[in-house]
Amino acid sequence: MKRISSFRRTRIAGPILVVAALFTIGTAFGVASALPGAQTPMTTGTSTLVSQGKAIFLRGCSSCHGLHAEGGSIAPSLIGVGSAAVDFQVGTGRMPMADMSQQAMQKKPLYNPQETAALAAYVASLAPGPSSVTNESLAYERDGNSALGGQLFRTNCAMCHNFAGQGGALTNGKYAPSLMGVTPKIIYEAMITGPQSMPKFTDATITPQQKLSIIKWLQAANHEQNQGGASLGRVGPVTEGLLGWVLGLGLLIGAAVWLAMKAK
Amino acid sequence: MKPTQKAAGAAANYVDERTGAAKWLKKNLTKVFPDHWSFMLGEIALYSFIILLLTGTFLTFWFDPSQREVIYNGSYLPLNGLHMSAAYDSTLRLSFDVRGGLLMRQIHHWSALIFMSAIVAHLFRVFFTGAFRKPREFNWLIGVGLLTFGIVEGFLGYSLPDDLLSGTGIRIAEAILQAIPVVGSYLSFFAFGGAFPGTAFIPRIFIVHVLLLPGLFLALITIHLMLVWYQKHTQYPGPGRTEKNVVGYPLMPVYMAKAGGFFFVVFGVTAFLGAVASINPIWLVGPYTPGQISAGSQPDWYMGWLDGLVRAAPPLETHAFGHTISWNILIPGLILPGILFTGMALYPFIESWFTGDKREHHLLDRPRNAPNRTALGVTSIVFILITIVNGGNDIIATHFHLTINGIMWFTRVGLFVIPPIAFVVTKRVCLSLQRSDRDLVLHGRETGRLVMMPNGEMLEVHEPLSDAKKWTLTQHQRPEALAAPLPASATVGLKGKLRARMNRAHATQIPAPTLTDLKELGEGHH
Amino acid sequence: MSNQIERFEDPGLPAHVHRNADSDPLAAKRAERQVAILFMLSALGTVLTIAAYIYVKSDKYVYLPIMGSTNLQQILLGLGLTASTLFIGLGAIQWAKKLMPDQEEIAERHEFRSKEVDRDELVAAFKERGGSAGLGRRSLIKRSLGLSLGLVGLSPLVLLRDTGPLPKKFFTTTDWTAGTRLLLDPAGTPIKASDLEVGAVAQVLPELPAGTERTLENTGKDAVLLIRLRPEDFNLDPQKLSWTYQGIIAFSKICTHMGCAVALYEQQTHHLLCPCHQSTFDVTRGAKVIFGPAARPLPQLAITVDADGYLVAVQPFTVPIGPSFWERNSSNG
């Protein structure tokens, strides 16, 4: 079994190497624009961007991901992860990691959008992979259907991110983050790259248009007005029970104490 | 005579000539009720029940208890066009297309939570003050019954809207049914009218939720209140309060105004919660389908302990002779709750068995003066609290940066370790409080004022307690207050030894100071 | 006297402390005003409720601190109802506290136990009347009555039999058979191996025979999760490994503990977590339970591809899916 899989790996690895060698930044751009609504930031001086990115990579990333992004004992290979993964990880500040904790946390990005784009261009130049997108390129308002999106969300996302996208617990301290306030492009890139614990949702299993539906539903959930008063975090009965005891019974016991107190 | 008085007199005459109610009413209008905030906890539960009946009736005008599949086209757009059950569809409609419908739904749900927490708080009050003792054992049993049915009733209500969360809850209830040895799969099929989820379950639990159980509640609450009325309320110890009397305010007019007014306060507070805090926003949760699930799926709090127990259970199953027994479901889901509730129901009889105390009690214990009972109560509460924490471990984990595995292990170990510690600590705290009462009676209250004696010594002035206070702190001191010495014949055998052991444990207390102690102390000083 | 222990005496009910309103007519007048104001606030609350019901549109929202953007009609109706009820209550209680007599009264209790003579008479009457009915003598009647009373409860139980059909093979079968295509949930389209990259998942349901409508009962048994791993990540016995296809492995999504949908897949650790009771399954080892209350691994569905390249089931599940039940034969897993 091992031999078969390693054989297969070499068979796949061959073309990948060839492709990696052949693919210029221009063809990478072509692949990127073939994906729905995708655009790459590389409009001018792409090769400069790649070399800029490589410089940043060698300075800031290579100690973990290896000099040629081939990965190491503590960090995965970045060959073939595409510019979308870089845009997601670096653009949300998850990479570079602050410490080797269970999970890379979202924080203030270390690199500015220019540097992030350069890094993305460099990683995309290594091998083809999912390309980053922009908020403007995702016409979710036009192409999405929020009812369908809600159904897809509940089938594919709610088990980790909670029914209202508030996030939830995973094993051993890992967690699925809240999706509130997350921009459409970051959600899109997360779905196509499967960052960290999150699995990938390929365009074959959830079509680009269905992804836009999910985003449309999430944007609606983001702006969901409170129909019945304070939302209590939208995490279900735990906060409700707490409020019932503390505020509900608390106020009533307060009233009972007042009732039984002798008047002056 | 004013015309209104005349009319009232005529009406009273009319009724009395047909019922002879005047005598009864005359006696009961002056019935005395002791005043204490903790006596209102049961009333909160009672009034919540009335609110539940009122709001629940309102909801039934629009709710369609059917699992027939429909396509939603109401005013909540993010669900438009989806397939769902008529139950879910009608709940959405009564929330969004009926003015005040959502408010009523929220008041109903908040009221259910308050109903259950008031029952539990009332139970604590009755337990810790020993109000369950003779002659009130029947009312204790009825109370345990009301708590049990309340949990079931709440769960059914939570299940009715057929949203993703409630469907998940029903799925788990089905798994518990299915796990019952020998008949489980049959019971499941009978309950659901076939395969889960089917189309029979929601109509069936609807009628149980709106007719059968409320009827049972009405009957039990009526008996509960009639017994309170007939046996007269217990009272806290204090000057002038004895086992033979009851001191308080008369029904007419004080208690009518207070209790009647309190109903409106309970309604107002519940309505306030319904107005300002969202509860069970089913439109966000989505319709139920067995293939979907949300992170952080929990039951309401009164089931949370059960869920926490089930989560903490070890992965035990017996596979033998072609049959499977799921201990991982049966133990936390049925056996342990069964033991807990049976033990709770029988506690008054168990306590009177080992204390040998068959007297009537109308004066309540201060919890510190019955250290063993208080410790047992705190132990149970701590046990349940740990399970409730585990029932919400995913929410706690994400909000306090803990791990679900860590909380689970804490629970698994803590359930065995922490309650016994709580027992010992509580008992010691009670005894310390008794000691401090003793000091207070013998030495008076510290005033914080310092005086310098002629010899230069600094002393804090202690102010002696009032006679009323002294009496309140020492009245429980009767030779056999907590447990009567058992006759030798009653302590033979294993059962007898256990009884003797519990008797001794229960009798532990610090001797309350007497006037003699105080006098001796006084003589020593001078 | 010297050996006699003297106890503290009950000083009796303390003297009544008068309230301000008892002696000061001004204070009484003030209390009366307070009560009246509270009742008036309740009336205002009712007016607010009615006004909100009639004049406020249900699609109006208002921004409130803490609560955020909130439905105006809901909050006004709610606060109106709150005021209209709460203030009646507060007014009535204030009235009782300030103005109604607050002298504590004493009522005597009576022992519940009946007088000895009444009890004796009852026992005698019971014996006599019971005896006249022959309760002690006629043992045939007693026994047959016992039997009939014991059995009478059976009829309602029997009548409940038709609440549902018998389960028959329901718990041991699903809609997966040899060659059933895997359809994406909820899209309903078939899926190819190449559609899944390493680290990707898909929620699938079986293709049902033409003309069969999919019900929730089907979904409750049939839901399957597809996961693609690197083939070398598997640590399976040869048979289970042969049930995978190019690193794609399929598990029943119905938890073996209590039937929740297990679908929290962590693609780095290859753990599957059930959100209900946190049973954790290791995908690389055939969904073996590594944490939590579940006692059995998730059943694995053998998959391959058909002539058109679509993923299909090789055979039905070899073990019953979902939670345990008495008739479940667990000898083969």
Side-chain angles (χ1 to χ4, degrees):
Chain A
M1 219 59 216
K2 266 265 187 292
R3 202 182 300 159
I4 297 174
S5 63
S6 55
F7 171 63
R8 189 178 293 134
R9 242 192 315 166
T10 51
R11 251 182 50 189
I12 296 168
I16 284 181
L17 281 173
V18 173
V19 165
L22 288 178
F23 262 55
T24 59
I25 298 95
T27 49
F29 175 67
V31 170
S33 56
L35 282 153
Q39 275 180 12
T40 69
M42 300 168 278
T43 45
T44 53
T46 44
S47 59
T48 350
L49 210 54
V50 170
S51 52
Q52 265 177 20
K54 183 164 186 181
I56 299 169
F57 183 87
L58 290 173
R59 208 167 54 238
C61 319
S62 61
S63 56
C64 297
H65 288 286
L67 283 174
H68 306 289
E70 73 280 12
S73 55
I74 51 167
S77 160
L78 300 182
I79 295 166
V81 301
S83 56
V86 178
D87 196 42
F88 176 89
Q89 300 281 4
V90 180
T92 60
R94 287 181 166 83
M95 290 289 154
M97 270 176 103
D99 53 63
M100 297 306 289
S101 58
Q102 277 286 4
Q103 185 163 346
M105 306 233 252
Q106 184 171 5
K107 54 188 182 296
K108 195 176 173 313
L110 186 68
Y111 298 111
N112 64 32
Q114 185 67 36
E115 291 165 321
T116 308
L119 266 174
Y122 167 66
V123 170
S125 74
L126 299 172
S131 298
S132 57
V133 296
T134 62
N135 286 329
E136 295 71 36
S137 67
L138 299 171
Y140 60 87
E141 277 302 342
R142 191 192 64 204
D143 297 339
N145 169 339
S146 63
L148 174 68
Q151 209 179 359
L152 285 159
F153 185 87
R154 287 187 289 276
T155 308
N156 294 287
C157 321
M159 63 283 244
C160 300
H161 291 286
N162 144 306
F163 59 83
Q166 302 290 331
L170 301 176
T171 65
N172 295 311
K174 296 188 287 298
Y175 60 90
S178 164
L179 303 179
M180 293 299 100
V182 180
T183 56
K185 83 166 189 162
I186 294 300
I187 293 166
Y188 196 93
E189 288 171 351
M191 286 192 278
I192 55 177
T193 62
Q196 302 184 39
S197 292
M198 179 167 163
K200 274 183 215 169
F201 296 93
T202 61
D203 283 349
T205 55
I206 299 181
T207 64
Q209 188 166 6
Q210 289 175 332
K211 288 189 171 96
L212 293 181
S213 293
I214 292 178
I215 290 172
K216 184 171 183 183
W217 183 84
L218 261 175
Q219 291 305 307
N222 244 319
H223 300 115
E224 171 82 29
Q225 279 155 318
N226 291 324
Q227 306 291 350
S231 70
L232 309 187
R234 295 187 183 140
V235 290
V238 173
T239 47
E240 294 165 0
L242 204 60
L243 195 75
W245 270 95
V246 175
L247 194 63
L249 200 66
L251 281 175
L252 288 172
I253 288 178
V257 169
W258 172 71
L259 176 149
M261 223 160 39
K262 194 171 157 49
K264 290 229 162 54
Chain B
M1 210 188 282
K2 286 180 191 164
T4 47
Q5 282 176 336
K6 212 169 165 180
N13 180 50
Y14 183 89
V15 173
D16 185 56
E17 279 178 359
R18 282 155 186 81
T19 60
K23 191 175 162 206
W24 189 87
L25 276 176
K26 182 193 75 162
K27 196 170 117 207
N28 283 289
L29 280 181
T30 57
K31 194 166 181 73
V32 164
F33 286 90
D35 219 10
H36 193 271
W37 68 265
S38 69
F39 296 161
M40 307 306 286
L41 294 169
E43 277 189 46
I44 298 176
L46 172 69
Y47 298 149
S48 297
F49 177 68
I50 297 171
I51 297 168
L52 285 166
L53 286 183
L54 295 174
T55 52
T57 306
F58 181 91
L59 297 180
T60 60
F61 295 160
W62 289 276
F63 180 65
D64 178 4
S66 158
Q67 278 162 295
R68 168 171 52 83
E69 193 177 280
V70 298
I71 295 172
Y72 180 70
N73 59 0
S75 58
Y76 186 70
L77 296 180
L79 290 172
N80 242 332
L82 288 191
H83 291 251
M84 56 183 63
S85 68
Y88 185 72
D89 175 87
S90 60
T91 313
L92 290 175
R93 284 172 194 280
L94 79 85
S95 300
F96 292 123
D97 302 324
V98 174
R99 281 178 285 182
L102 179 60
L103 178 68
M104 284 296 154
R105 238 195 80 222
Q106 298 203 141
I107 295 178
H108 192 72
H109 203 140
W110 281 119
S111 191
L113 294 195
I114 292 173
F115 177 62
M116 292 308 295
S117 42
I119 288 182
V120 169
H122 179 53
L123 175 105
F124 290 165
R125 198 278 293 167
V126 168
F127 182 85
F128 285 116
T129 59
F132 55 81
R133 289 173 297 174
K134 187 181 171 185
R136 295 184 176 77
E137 300 97 326
F138 293 158
N139 250 0
W140 172 265
L141 286 176
I142 293 172
V144 173
L146 284 168
L147 172 64
T148 315
F149 292 129
I151 294 173
V152 177
E153 176 76 344
F155 175 72
L156 296 185
Y158 167 100
S159 300
L160 281 175
D162 204 21
D163 56 290
L164 188 52
L165 204 54
S166 70
T168 303
I170 300 175
R171 184 72 185 88
I172 292 169
E174 193 277 336
I176 294 180
L177 270 185
Q178 195 179 316
I180 294 173
V182 187
V183 292
S185 49
Y186 291 84
L187 283 184
S188 159
F189 255 58
F190 294 161
F192 286 84
F196 169 86
T199 52
F201 195 64
I202 283 183
R204 285 177 185 176
I205 63 171
F206 176 72
I207 205 67
V208 174
H209 181 79
V210 304
L211 181 75
L212 188 63
L213 283 175
L216 201 60
F217 276 121
L218 266 181
L220 288 177
I221 289 174
T222 307
I223 303 173
H224 202 73
L225 292 179
M226 279 168 65
L227 278 170
V228 170
W229 194 278
Y230 179 68
Q231 293 178 330
K232 297 198 175 78
H233 209 286
T234 52
Q235 58 188 346
Y236 282 98
R241 283 140 172 93
T242 70
E243 293 282 14
K244 301 268 177 222
N245 71 10
V246 53
V247 179
Y249 297 112
L251 177 70
M252 175 99 182
V254 179
Y255 237 78
M256 274 184 181
K258 280 193 173 181
F262 198 55
F263 165 74
F264 288 98
V265 171
V266 176
F267 204 130
V269 168
T270 315
F272 178 68
L273 277 175
V276 301
S278 174
I279 187 164
N280 199 11
I282 54 141
W283 56 94
L284 292 172
V285 182
Y288 179 64
T289 147
Q292 299 177 349
I293 190 114
S294 167
S297 291
Q298 274 101 10
D300 276 341
W301 76 264
Y302 46 83
M303 296 275 285
W305 60 281
L306 203 56
D307 209 42
L309 271 178
V310 173
R311 286 180 181 189
L316 280 181
E317 274 187 355
T318 303
H319 307 289
F321 310 111
H323 292 293
T324 301
I325 302 175
S326 306
W327 300 111
N328 52 356
I329 296 177
L330 291 175
I331 292 177
L334 289 174
I335 298 173
L336 212 53
I339 293 173
L340 285 174
F341 272 73
T342 311
M344 183 159 71
L346 294 182
Y347 184 76
F349 309 100
I350 297 171
E351 189 185 293
S352 107
W353 172 67
F354 65 70
T355 56
D357 184 355
K358 310 290 179 213
R359 294 166 301 173
E360 277 185 19
H361 291 278
H362 303 291
L363 277 182
L364 296 171
D365 280 332
R366 298 170 72 222
R368 68 181 63 175
N369 289 337
N372 207 58
R373 183 199 297 141
T374 304
L376 191 67
V378 171
T379 307
S380 318
I381 293 176
V382 166
F383 181 89
I384 292 295
L385 270 181
I386 297 171
T387 61
I388 286 187
V389 164
N390 198 44
N393 61 4
D394 31 9
I395 304 294
I396 294 169
T398 47
H399 284 74
F400 297 97
H401 302 290
L402 300 167
T403 75
I404 48 176
N405 308 62
I407 301 176
M408 192 89 98
W409 276 111
F410 168 82
T411 306
R412 285 174 171 178
V413 178
L415 279 180
F416 293 95
V417 175
I418 300 175
I421 296 175
F423 184 90
V424 174
V425 170
T426 310
K427 197 158 176 177
R428 280 170 181 270
V429 167
C430 286
L431 292 172
S432 298
L433 287 171
Q434 287 186 24
R435 275 192 205 97
S436 98
D437 279 354
R438 189 184 160 88
D439 285 350
L440 211 55
V441 172
L442 294 181
H443 305 293
R445 197 194 337 268
E446 292 172 1
T447 56
R449 275 185 291 126
L450 292 178
V451 289
M452 194 190 277
M453 303 302 279
N455 59 6
E457 191 188 355
M458 299 288 279
L459 281 180
E460 186 179 2
V461 176
H462 284 235
E463 186 185 302
L465 294 186
S466 67
D467 285 348
K469 191 84 186 158
K470 275 183 197 152
W471 168 249
T472 307
L473 296 186
T474 59
Q475 53 73 35
H476 62 285
Q477 186 64 313
R478 294 171 295 263
E480 298 126 35
L482 287 174
L486 297 171
S489 59
T491 58
V492 288
L494 197 63
K495 211 169 123 190
K497 289 218 171 65
L498 177 70
R499 189 177 172 192
R501 179 75 195 81
M502 286 161 84
N503 183 289
R504 277 201 306 283
H506 202 73
T508 320
Q509 63 175 339
I510 305 295
T514 61
L515 193 55
T516 315
D517 292 336
L518 190 63
K519 281 183 179 161
E520 278 170 10
L521 204 64
E523 279 155 19
H525 265 307
H526 293 294
Chain C
M1 183 68 200
S2 59
N3 288 338
Q4 194 78 34
I5 291 174
E6 283 182 86
R7 299 188 183 284
F8 290 100
E9 294 290 331
D10 181 358
L13 210 56
H16 180 239
V17 181
H18 285 287
R19 297 165 296 187
N20 291 339
D22 292 333
S23 46
D24 179 1
L26 274 177
K29 200 78 204 157
R30 206 162 46 235
E32 189 183 345
R33 267 201 309 276
Q34 285 170 357
V35 174
I37 288 172
L38 287 168
F39 287 150
M40 289 309 292
L41 285 174
S42 158
L44 277 180
T46 308
V47 172
L48 173 67
T49 311
I50 296 170
Y53 192 89
I54 297 173
Y55 295 112
V56 180
K57 292 245 169 11
S58 62
D59 56 356
K60 283 268 179 300
Y61 292 84
V62 58
Y63 185 86
L64 294 170
I66 303 171
M67 295 168 61
S69 178
T70 302
N71 187 297
L72 185 65
Q73 190 192 53
Q74 147 83 14
I75 191 107
L76 287 182
L77 280 177
L79 291 180
L81 193 61
T82 303
S84 66
T85 50
L86 185 68
F87 287 119
I88 291 186
L90 295 180
I93 295 171
Q94 181 74 345
W95 183 10
K97 284 179 56 147
K98 290 266 185 178
L99 295 168
M100 291 183 190
D102 82 330
Q103 177 96 46
E104 283 188 309
E105 294 181 8
I106 301 179
E108 295 304 313
R109 289 183 191 276
H110 308 283
E111 207 185 359
F112 296 110
R113 194 188 154 94
S114 308
K115 286 200 195 86
E116 215 51 58
V117 54
D118 288 334
R119 290 159 61 113
D120 291 346
E121 274 174 17
L122 175 70
V123 172
F126 203 80
K127 273 186 184 157
E128 191 204 319
R129 281 152 195 276
S132 70
L135 207 63
R137 280 173 292 126
R138 304 196 193 283
S139 61
L140 185 63
I141 290 185
K142 223 163 59 178
R143 281 184 200 146
S144 54
L145 177 66
L147 178 77
S148 57
L149 284 179
L151 289 179
V152 74
L154 280 181
S155 12
L157 273 187
V158 169
L159 289 174
L160 284 175
R161 159 62 191 87
D162 275 351
T163 48
L166 295 181
K168 303 226 171 75
K169 295 210 170 303
F170 178 83
F171 288 101
T172 49
T173 55
T174 66
D175 294 304
W176 294 100
T177 55
T180 309
R181 276 189 180 168
L182 283 63
L183 303 185
L184 283 169
D185 177 24
T189 48
I191 179 171
K192 289 185 168 167
S194 56
D195 292 344
L196 290 172
E197 294 167 21
V198 169
V201 295
Q203 326 282 330
V204 294
L205 292 168
E207 184 172 34
L208 297 180
T212 321
E213 186 104 358
R214 191 185 305 284
T215 63
L216 294 182
E217 294 79 66
N218 296 124
T219 308
K221 290 205 297 181
D222 297 342
V224 159
L225 183 67
L226 277 186
I227 307 169
R228 183 159 193 170
L229 284 73
R230 286 193 302 262
E232 64 269 24
D233 285 335
F234 286 127
N235 181 10
L236 296 168
D237 63 53
Q239 190 198 26
K240 295 278 171 72
L241 193 61
S242 72
W243 288 359
T244 67
Y245 182 78
Q246 291 187 356
I248 302 176
I249 190 164
F251 289 112
S252 162
K253 221 167 122 177
I254 309 302
C255 189
T256 56
H257 178 224
M258 290 180 121
C260 294
V262 188
L264 285 76
Y265 173 63
E266 302 176 4
Q267 66 127 334
Q268 284 177 330
T269 56
H270 307 300
H271 290 169
L272 256 176
L273 173 72
C274 177
C276 285
H277 304 104
Q278 288 139 14
S279 299
T280 310
F281 305 87
D282 185 349
V283 170
T284 59
R285 287 185 282 167
K288 188 183 154 171
V289 182
I290 52 171
F291 189 76
R296 288 176 290 104
L298 297 169
Q300 186 185 340
L301 182 69
I303 52 166
T304 184
V305 289
D306 63 10
D308 302 326
Y310 290 113
L311 288 170
V312 293
V314 174
Q315 56 188 25
F317 278 108
T318 56
V319 293
I321 61 97
S324 294
F325 50 98
W326 172 251
E327 297 87 349
R328 188 183 194 283
N329 189 342
S330 303
S331 53
N332 56 348

